[in-house]
Amino acid sequence: MLQQVDDQGSGSDDQSRASFREDLQEFLGREAPLHQLDDLTKVNPVTLETVLRCLQARYMVDTFYTNAGCTLVALNPFKPVRQLYTPELMREYHTAPQPQRLKPHIFTLAEQTYRNVKSLIEPVNQSIVVSGESGAGKTWTSRCLMKFYAVVAAAPTSWESPRIAERIEQRILNSNPVMEAFGNACTLRNNNSSRFGKFIQLQLNRAQQMTGAEVQTYLLEKTRVACQASSERNFHIFYQICKGASEDERLQWHLPKGATFSWLPNPERTLEEDCFEVTREAMLHLGIDTLTQNNIFKVLAGLLHLGNVHFADSEDEAQPCQLMHDAKCSLRTSASLLRLREDMLLETVQIRTIRAGRQQQVFQKPCSRAECDTRRDCLAKVVYARLFDWLVSVINSSICADPDSWTAFIGLLDVYGFESFPDNSLEQLCINYANEKLQQHFVVHYLRAQQEEYTLEGLEWSFVNYQDNQTCLDLIEGSPISVCSLLNEECRLNRPSSAAQLQTRIESALATSPCLGHNKLSQEPSFIVVHYAGPVRYLTAGLVEKNKDPVPPELIELLQQSQDPLLTVLFPPQPKEKTQEEPSGQSRAPALTVVSKFKASLEQLLLVLHSTTPHYIRCIKPNSQGQPQTFLQEEVLSQLEACGLVETIHISAAGFPIRVSHQNFVERYSLLRRLRSHTPSGRHSLCAARGRAGQLLCPEEATLQTVLQDLLHALPALTRRAVTPADPLHCGKTKVFMTESMLELLEDGRARVLEQCARCIQCGWRRHQHRKRERQRRAAVLIQAAIRSWLTRRHIQRLHTAATVIKRAWQKWRVRMACLASEELDGMEEKPMFPVPSSLSSSPLPPAQARLQGAIIRLWPLGLVLANAAVGVRGFQRKLVVCACLQLPLGKPSNYSVTTAQDQTGIMSIRALPQGSIKFHCRKSPLRYADICPKPSPYSVTGFNQILLESHRPVHV
Ligand SMILES: Nc1ncnc2c1ncn2[C@@H]1O[C@H](COP(=O)(O)OP(=O)(O)OP(=O)(O)O)[C@@H](O)[C@H]1O
């Protein structure tokens, strides 16, 4: 733009302009680079120029998608950009919490549409209208959208039928190559131009899984079968069978290599669309078996041969035109391929049957050469058109789901783009009419409806002037007089009229329409329609005939007699085939013309579109040569103007694209009243809202309006600032209007509240679990304590019993021992003196000594007692006393010992033999009696020891 400003500037202004440019550049340098602007509404100011520059900047850095408010602008890259359509990327957009935050893409729009179905906000059904010029990328875009839904909305493969689940999406995708092969052709503008309109309904069940689809087609350009503009081609399928057939098939279908066909122009050009195998494979997946496929291709080959049947002019009008010399063979081949009788085929094409009079008398009239050609072409067109419709019905029966199995749909509309050639005819009129209708739908939906709704809802709104195409539509389809009605009138009257006459009639009848123009320089009779996308000149020649689209009944009758299985299906025998060519004046019903049929189907389509939430993708062609990295400003500019994009951007930027009914708004966002504020002001507002919410708990008392007001009061808690009138949310009379950003904010808040609730539920559950565990623990402790105390009691009881037993036994034993001891002692006393050891017996003691010894024996315990006395003698003295008491021999000390080692240990008892050593029993010993005479001496007392001293208190020696 700066460059352009420079170019236009005069030399004198150069300096000031340069400084201005520097200023501007410096200013713009601080702005975000144009290519980084994801939304054209952010371009400032929104003008065609700035929008254009932004798109160009993005295109040059390979960024092909840009938002334009409610529309997505898609620039055709004209080169494969694989990473842009990978399943991974699809999943990324699908799983993103806010896909609109990601880079603009058709997947953003597709995902948004998909989520709309999920959210169930009315209208649940969605539609995506893909529009743009021929070659702008509509078909490509629809294909990508279908792939996206096939990935994200695929039903999970079940164990029982994994293949069936796979098949549905695969079949839906397979419908594309088949329909493109039969319905697309190479034109001047696009190598793969759709020659029919398509509305595909992707059917989703309650779980938002794709269960099926249904295709509806509009106005196939069947004339292409028999007539192609120079440098254009016939439908792809004809080239595919000629190039891709095997040798066997060539023989079968009479398609030898190098054969030329009049209806197959430019066969040397090979396109990537000429892939026969892909079509066959897809047909197979759709349930069209090889046999049927062969039948289809055989019929198509028959049509190609029919195209080579040329007639020579007849000199005599009463005689039918003769075949050209090389046409006989073609006729024969065609008849054999179509399984018709050769003579009948020729006769039907050559001779016209006329029914006239009340009796419907039949007359036969040979046709002129031109008429023969028309009838031949008509035969081919009717066969191809019925074949195409049959294919669509087969595809539908293969992919369509049971009506009970789906609840919502996403419709994809891919219609032929706006067309304007040097010479345009009825086909272009219909195509452009459809585009006008869609443009109007867009205008009505987004522009006019938006503004009118704001007014109705009491919102302040500064109206934007937008391009309304209603006047153009009135010219084409209006009532009572329009181009269509005039054409239909001509067909109804069936009067012979020249092209010039038709032009005059149109011009005079519609002279008041501002959209009707006339090119005075034009050689041929024509009229101009100023469409929203630009003026188009239509030739009047042949318009009425094309509109009638007459199919002579004898042609249908001929085809009904075919032996070919496919043709039998396409032309079932009927008592009387109804055609449009009723004898004049016989039928009062209005003739079903091409235009009226097309109008009816368009209205049907628009009814469906109106019942859905529409989304728009505007495809833009950066250049008409199909070159990558080439952005021709003028071409793009005309497309931007034509689609009214700038007005859209303007309104979308300033308006409220989101509108929700009060009811739905309250239903979805009433939980926001629970939101806790973090700011003092917010808390205040929230408290106020809560105060009222208390009253609102009773639904009878609370009106929708008050709930809504409460919600609006709770909003500061969400936005963390006071809601002002300038905020992007307005409450109308029946709806709440808001911007995308506000919707995001609300959704954010909703998610927060739901999170809080989830946390609350989690806490409650955890508390409950904790309490339960505590109770269980306490019960377990109680049980354990009871068991332990029982075990302890039992153990003590057992110990007690055992102790009692031991005690009793001990006591018994003690008593017994005591008895034994006393018995022994008693016995000792009564017994005579110890037997004298043998060493002593040789010299018996004298009686006095013996008595002394006895005395000693009796006295030593007394000595011991003395020695043991607590007070009194100690240490050596004590030993002496002991020795004295015991009358120990005073000889060698080795003969005896007095042990006093037990000084510290208390002595419980002393047992001794007077003649032997004495041992003291220490208190710790379990034995109170012990054999204290380890080495028996001659003086030892045999038998049990004697208790000399027994004390409960230890005696210290
Ligand atoms: N996103 C894309 N990436 C790569 N190439 C594309 C893309 N979109 C379109 N094209 C190219 O542009 C060509 C024309 O696209 P397409 O057939 O979709 O146009 P169209 O708008 O459907 O035209 P028509 O109205 O004539 O059917 C395609 O054959 C393809 O080569």
Side-chain angles (χ1 to χ4, degrees):
M1 182 202 167
L2 293 173
Q3 190 56 47
Q4 283 170 5
V5 170
D6 269 355
D7 293 346
Q8 287 158 12
S10 68
S12 60
D13 289 340
D14 271 2
Q15 257 188 332
S16 61
R17 278 181 190 282
S19 70
F20 168 72
R21 198 181 62 173
E22 272 169 25
D23 262 12
L24 197 62
Q25 264 178 348
E26 196 195 325
F27 168 71
L28 290 176
R30 278 185 263 130
E31 298 286 307
L34 272 180
H35 70 268
Q36 284 181 10
L37 290 176
D38 278 350
D39 199 323
L40 292 179
T41 54
K42 290 178 190 158
V43 177
N44 206 6
V46 185
T47 63
L48 272 177
E49 262 178 15
T50 49
V51 163
L52 197 65
R53 273 176 41 222
C54 178
L55 287 177
Q56 185 169 15
R58 290 172 73 78
Y59 189 71
M60 288 314 181
V61 292
D62 279 1
T63 309
F64 304 107
Y65 296 109
T66 313
N67 291 324
C70 54
T71 313
L72 179 78
V73 179
L75 292 167
N76 188 340
F78 282 126
K79 65 177 178 184
V81 197
R82 303 220 182 281
Q83 73 279 7
L84 214 53
Y85 308 102
T86 57
E88 292 73 38
L89 195 72
M90 292 178 189
R91 275 186 213 106
E92 191 185 326
Y93 275 84
H94 179 55
T95 51
Q98 290 180 321
Q100 60 272 28
R101 295 245 168 115
L102 301 178
K103 281 187 181 171
H105 201 291
I106 44 169
F107 298 156
T108 321
L109 186 131
E111 181 57 27
Q112 189 58 53
T113 308
Y114 187 61
R115 289 187 191 186
N116 281 3
V117 176
K118 260 189 186 172
S119 70
L120 297 179
I121 293 178
E122 287 291 326
V124 176
N125 295 329
Q126 309 286 311
S127 56
I128 301 176
V129 180
V130 190
S131 59
E133 271 197 5
S134 174
K138 299 182 295 293
T139 310
W140 181 288
T141 303
S142 326
R143 231 185 281 147
C144 287
L145 289 171
M146 282 166 79
K147 281 183 192 158
F148 177 83
Y149 290 122
V151 169
V152 306
T157 40
S158 66
W159 283 105
E160 303 91 45
S161 56
R163 292 192 58 236
I164 286 178
E166 243 179 45
R167 273 206 313 259
I168 276 299
E169 296 104 44
Q170 201 47 48
R171 278 191 207 178
I172 293 171
L173 293 181
N174 275 324
S175 68
N176 283 328
V178 178
M179 296 193 61
E180 286 183 21
F182 284 84
N184 287 21
C186 173
T187 66
L188 285 173
R189 298 169 143 223
N190 181 5
N191 286 351
N192 186 31
S193 183
S194 308
R195 307 321 295 161
F196 66 103
K198 183 171 75 174
F199 181 68
I200 182 157
Q201 217 180 41
L202 302 174
Q203 298 155 345
L204 305 173
N205 63 11
R206 276 182 205 288
Q208 282 77 47
Q209 292 156 351
M210 205 151 74
T211 56
E214 192 180 351
V215 185
Q216 179 151 12
T217 57
Y218 301 95
L219 197 73
L220 175 76
E221 190 198 22
K222 59 185 176 187
T223 46
R224 187 169 287 272
V225 178
C227 177
Q228 308 81 29
S230 62
S231 306
E232 293 201 353
R233 297 205 323 177
N234 206 327
F235 293 105
H236 294 321
I237 189 68
F238 288 108
Y239 298 88
Q240 290 184 3
I241 56 170
C242 287
K243 293 179 182 180
S246 65
E247 286 306 319
D248 264 7
E249 288 164 343
R250 281 182 189 288
L251 274 177
Q252 242 181 309
W253 304 336
H254 299 277
L255 295 175
K257 267 196 175 147
T260 53
F261 296 99
S262 310
W263 289 348
L264 212 62
N266 307 310
E268 67 289 343
R269 270 187 80 183
T270 298
L271 305 176
E272 60 179 277
E273 284 78 18
D274 296 342
C275 199
F276 193 35
E277 271 318 301
V278 173
T279 309
R280 297 193 81 155
E281 188 73 14
M283 286 173 92
L284 213 58
H285 279 290
L286 288 165
I288 304 171
D289 58 32
T290 320
L291 209 67
T292 317
Q293 284 181 28
N294 286 346
N295 198 168
I296 293 170
F297 303 136
K298 207 172 87 180
V299 169
L300 292 180
L303 295 187
L304 279 181
H305 283 281
L306 186 68
N308 283 356
V309 176
H310 299 292
F311 294 89
D313 279 320
S314 169
E315 284 160 15
D316 181 2
E317 270 193 15
Q319 293 301 315
C321 297
Q322 291 308 302
L323 286 172
M324 301 280 266
H325 69 279
D326 54 347
K328 269 198 179 139
C329 178
S330 298
L331 181 78
R332 192 174 310 120
T333 317
S334 176
S336 92
L337 287 168
L338 298 174
R339 311 242 344 235
L340 294 168
R341 271 179 46 196
E342 188 185 334
D343 55 336
M344 277 182 70
L345 174 61
L346 181 63
E347 194 187 306
T348 316
V349 176
Q350 278 176 324
I351 299 168
R352 190 175 168 204
T353 306
I354 303 167
R355 286 184 179 83
R358 292 195 169 206
Q359 306 301 316
Q360 290 283 292
Q361 285 170 317
V362 177
F363 302 95
Q364 291 206 319
K365 186 176 178 291
C367 299
S368 66
R369 185 188 150 195
E371 281 174 334
C372 287
D373 287 349
T374 311
R375 287 166 79 83
R376 176 202 60 204
D377 294 356
C378 185
L379 188 75
K381 283 193 286 183
V382 75
V383 170
Y384 195 80
R386 288 212 185 178
L387 173 63
F388 186 78
D389 288 346
W390 175 80
L391 264 178
V392 173
S393 70
V394 169
I395 289 171
N396 276 337
S397 61
S398 168
I399 62 175
C400 198
D402 176 14
D404 298 335
S405 71
W406 58 277
T407 50
F409 70 81
I410 296 174
L412 301 181
L413 181 64
D414 167 19
V415 282
Y416 12 56
F418 184 81
E419 288 191 350
S420 174
F421 301 117
D423 294 335
N424 300 289
S425 189
L426 191 77
E427 294 82 20
Q428 280 71 44
L429 184 68
C430 288
I431 288 172
N432 293 342
Y433 169 40
N435 278 280
E436 285 286 354
K437 274 286 210 195
L438 289 173
Q439 176 67 9
Q440 192 201 36
H441 175 255
F442 176 73
V443 168
V444 168
H445 187 265
Y446 265 110
L447 307 180
R448 196 164 64 195
Q450 195 167 31
Q451 294 184 6
E452 281 172 5
E453 195 171 9
Y454 291 157
T455 319
L456 275 177
E457 292 281 341
L459 264 74
E460 279 183 22
W461 174 255
S462 56
F463 281 85
V464 174
N465 287 327
Y466 56 84
Q467 197 178 343
D468 189 347
N469 65 343
Q470 187 56 51
T471 42
C472 182
L473 274 169
D474 287 342
L475 171 70
I476 300 172
E477 59 153 22
S479 181
I481 298 174
S482 60
V483 173
C484 287
S485 70
L486 286 172
L487 286 177
N488 286 345
E489 181 73 3
E490 289 297 316
C491 297
R492 196 177 62 81
L493 296 174
N494 203 21
R495 61 184 173 192
S497 58
S498 67
Q501 280 171 322
L502 182 63
Q503 179 193 338
T504 319
R505 275 181 206 136
I506 290 174
E507 281 177 357
S508 58
L510 299 163
T512 51
S513 173
C515 291
L516 186 76
H518 173 60
N519 184 357
K520 289 192 177 123
L521 300 173
S522 171
Q523 303 283 314
E524 291 146 301
S526 62
F527 63 93
I528 291 174
V529 177
V530 184
H531 288 284
Y532 77 95
V536 181
R537 188 177 70 108
Y538 298 97
L539 299 182
T540 47
L543 268 190
V544 177
E545 270 311 289
K546 280 188 179 175
N547 190 31
K548 274 192 212 162
D549 191 24
V551 182
E554 54 270 30
L555 290 188
I556 302 293
E557 281 161 20
L558 170 78
L559 290 166
Q560 282 170 346
Q561 287 167 27
S562 165
Q563 299 301 304
D564 184 77
L566 179 64
L567 288 179
T568 319
V569 174
L570 299 184
F571 299 92
Q574 275 171 9
K576 189 170 184 278
E577 180 77 11
K578 268 204 160 186
T579 66
Q580 287 101 47
E581 205 182 55
E582 292 287 342
S584 58
Q586 293 299 306
S587 167
R588 295 216 166 168
L592 212 55
T593 61
V594 171
V595 163
S596 52
K597 272 194 276 186
F598 187 63
K599 192 175 167 206
S601 61
L602 256 187
E603 269 158 17
Q604 187 72 30
L605 170 71
L606 282 154
L607 268 182
V608 175
L609 286 186
H610 280 304
S611 70
T612 63
T613 306
H615 306 261
Y616 293 91
I617 299 177
R618 298 283 192 201
C619 296
I620 302 279
K621 206 166 139 180
N623 63 79
S624 49
Q625 292 79 41
Q627 294 298 315
Q629 291 289 310
T630 310
F631 191 93
L632 299 182
Q633 289 199 344
E634 276 185 14
E635 287 188 19
V636 176
L637 195 66
S638 69
Q639 291 174 62
L640 291 182
E641 275 174 330
C643 64
L645 199 70
V646 178
E647 279 94 3
T648 318
I649 296 164
H650 211 85
I651 291 183
S652 298
F656 310 103
I658 314 291
R659 63 217 45 210
V660 186
S661 70
H662 287 176
Q663 176 89 34
N664 285 344
F665 185 84
V666 168
E667 265 174 29
R668 192 164 177 84
Y669 300 114
S670 59
L671 44 71
L672 286 182
R673 286 176 296 165
R674 291 158 169 261
L675 204 68
R676 272 161 234 291
S677 165
H678 302 288
T679 61
S681 64
R683 200 170 292 137
H684 174 76
S685 329
L686 191 63
C687 290
R690 278 221 205 95
R692 279 186 296 278
Q695 303 157 13
L696 294 166
L697 286 175
C698 174
E700 294 85 21
E701 289 170 26
T703 63
L704 206 59
Q705 196 66 28
T706 34
V707 179
L708 192 70
Q709 288 306 322
D710 268 349
L711 267 177
L712 296 181
H713 274 99
L715 276 184
L718 189 66
T719 55
R720 299 184 185 179
R721 64 183 164 82
V723 177
T724 65
D727 270 320
L729 185 138
H730 285 275
C731 185
K733 285 176 189 160
T734 60
K735 289 179 185 171
V736 178
F737 293 80
M738 61 186 125
T739 58
E740 293 266 6
S741 60
M742 191 65 212
L743 183 76
E744 252 174 51
L745 213 62
L746 286 169
E747 285 295 319
D748 215 40
R750 190 168 174 269
R752 260 164 47 207
V753 174
L754 289 177
E755 201 183 295
Q756 273 176 15
C757 292
R759 236 183 258 137
C760 213
I761 293 168
Q762 281 178 357
C763 282
W765 175 248
R766 281 204 199 104
R767 222 176 10 248
H768 165 76
Q769 290 284 78
H770 179 71
R771 281 191 195 139
K772 201 170 136 188
R773 270 202 304 274
E774 267 304 298
R775 273 202 306 274
Q776 284 173 346
R777 203 182 59 79
R778 275 205 303 274
V781 168
L782 219 64
I783 293 166
Q784 281 176 358
I787 290 176
R788 275 204 200 103
S789 94
W790 175 77
L791 284 174
T792 312
R793 271 204 310 276
R794 202 180 63 169
H795 182 67
I796 288 169
Q797 232 167 19
R798 277 185 188 160
L799 284 179
H800 191 74
T801 315
T804 314
V805 168
I806 291 167
K807 206 167 111 190
R808 275 202 203 117
W810 171 244
Q811 278 169 355
K812 257 196 223 164
W813 187 77
R814 259 184 73 187
V815 169
R816 232 179 81 223
M817 286 301 118
C819 285
L820 279 174
S822 51
E823 267 173 28
E824 202 171 297
L825 284 175
D826 292 348
M828 275 295 293
E829 271 174 14
E830 286 155 22
K831 270 184 198 171
M833 267 316 287
F834 310 105
V836 179
S838 56
S839 57
L840 297 173
S841 62
S842 57
S843 54
L845 289 171
Q849 201 178 346
R851 258 196 319 276
L852 179 67
Q853 200 171 9
I856 288 167
I857 290 167
R858 278 182 195 94
L859 282 173
W860 70 263
L862 184 65
L864 264 181
V865 172
L866 281 174
N868 271 311
V871 289
V873 286
R874 299 206 170 273
F876 184 68
Q877 287 175 342
R878 184 173 288 204
K879 281 184 186 170
L880 280 180
V881 170
V882 171
C883 287
C885 288
L886 297 177
Q887 286 280 309
L888 294 173
L890 298 171
K892 296 172 209 168
S894 57
N895 290 345
Y896 61 88
S897 68
V898 176
T899 310
T900 57
Q902 292 86 358
D903 277 357
Q904 283 77 28
T905 57
I907 296 168
M908 299 298 291
S909 63
I910 302 169
R911 287 174 178 263
L913 288 174
Q915 302 89 338
S917 63
I918 298 166
K919 288 226 171 159
F920 301 101
H921 170 63
C922 298
R923 64 177 164 171
K924 289 274 169 88
S925 169
L927 296 174
R928 303 195 91 180
Y929 299 91
D931 187 352
I932 53 170
C933 186
K935 277 193 265 171
S937 70
Y939 305 108
S940 295
V941 179
T942 53
F944 235 93
N945 292 329
Q946 184 181 356
I947 297 170
L948 300 177
L949 176 94
E950 227 173 63
S951 163
H952 294 293
R953 200 163 47 83
V955 178
H956 295 278
V957 180

